[in-house]
Amino acid sequence: MLTIRPEEPDDAEAIARVHIRGWQAGYAGIMPDEVLGRLNVTAWAQRRRDLGTAAPEHPFTTLLAEAGDAGIVGFASFGPYRVDQDRASLDPTRGELLALYVDPAHWGDGTARALFAAACAGLTSLGFTGYRVWVLEENHRARRFYARAGLSPDGEWTTYPVPLAGGRPPVRLVELRYSGRLLA
């Protein structure tokens, strides 16, 4: 049985584990192996704590999917649209799905659809009628998911810099912006 609930402060490490597993499986062949191999649960959990993502006054909400004894198996984060993907510059007229990650062991079992529906309901409850999501151009699985959910590329794109070790210049991956409407 799947339960959707808001993030709590003690969830940071479990969320970081799901996030990293999602990156490692979903971005294999897209991001350099050295980047995926050095991802660190402790560091990512601490970043969540430092950002205060579970605090009620945080501008973004994170919902978790719990599957019985498996615990947290996915999460979705949403809120106002980040202008130029800057958390300090928010557009109060449009929503954004910032993240949707599911542990690869739960891909295809409905967890992502349930989280997506809950995030859309959350965006609607905040008064948004439209929303956006950024997705890596080469992440065909995610692009198919969003297309099936009714979103489509709106022509905007940017590059996501992936830092490399040893002072080498970052790898720049193309991100496409998808847009959609929310039903009242």
Side-chain angles (χ1 to χ4, degrees):
M1 176 156 159
L2 192 68
T3 303
I4 307 292
R5 67 166 177 84
E7 174 185 11
E8 297 174 3
D10 291 341
D11 296 323
E13 194 162 311
I15 295 168
R17 269 194 297 279
V18 168
H19 203 166
I20 287 173
R21 286 184 195 137
W23 267 51
Q24 289 173 331
Y27 299 151
I30 299 172
M31 284 197 186
D33 291 341
E34 71 174 83
V35 171
L36 297 175
R38 73 172 181 246
L39 300 177
N40 180 292
V41 169
T42 302
W44 281 34
Q46 188 58 51
R47 182 169 181 261
R48 291 193 75 77
R49 289 184 199 101
D50 291 346
L51 289 172
T53 58
E57 65 276 359
H58 196 274
F60 307 106
T61 299
T62 297
L63 298 177
L64 310 179
E66 284 186 307
D69 292 339
I72 295 170
V73 298
F75 73 96
S77 298
F78 61 90
Y81 181 70
R82 299 167 301 147
V83 177
D84 296 325
Q85 297 191 45
D86 179 357
R87 290 175 184 262
S89 180
L90 302 177
D91 177 353
T93 66
R94 186 169 307 273
E96 181 176 0
L97 178 64
L98 282 82
L100 176 60
Y101 288 94
V102 173
D103 189 291
H106 291 269
W107 286 0
D109 71 359
T111 299
R113 286 189 308 277
L115 278 167
F116 181 79
C120 287
L123 286 165
T124 300
S125 74
L126 293 172
F128 297 115
T129 57
Y131 68 113
R132 297 171 171 160
V133 61
W134 289 96
V135 60
L136 291 177
E137 180 180 42
E138 293 183 50
N139 189 347
H140 299 290
R141 180 184 190 93
R143 291 178 63 191
R144 284 190 305 271
F145 177 87
Y146 292 124
R148 282 192 307 269
L151 287 94
S152 57
D154 64 12
E156 291 294 320
W157 65 277
T158 190
T159 57
Y160 179 77
V162 180
L164 299 175
R168 293 175 291 155
V171 172
R172 297 199 173 275
L173 301 175
V174 173
E175 284 186 301
L176 305 175
R177 191 175 72 188
Y178 277 57
S179 293
R181 303 290 305 156
L182 293 161
L183 303 175

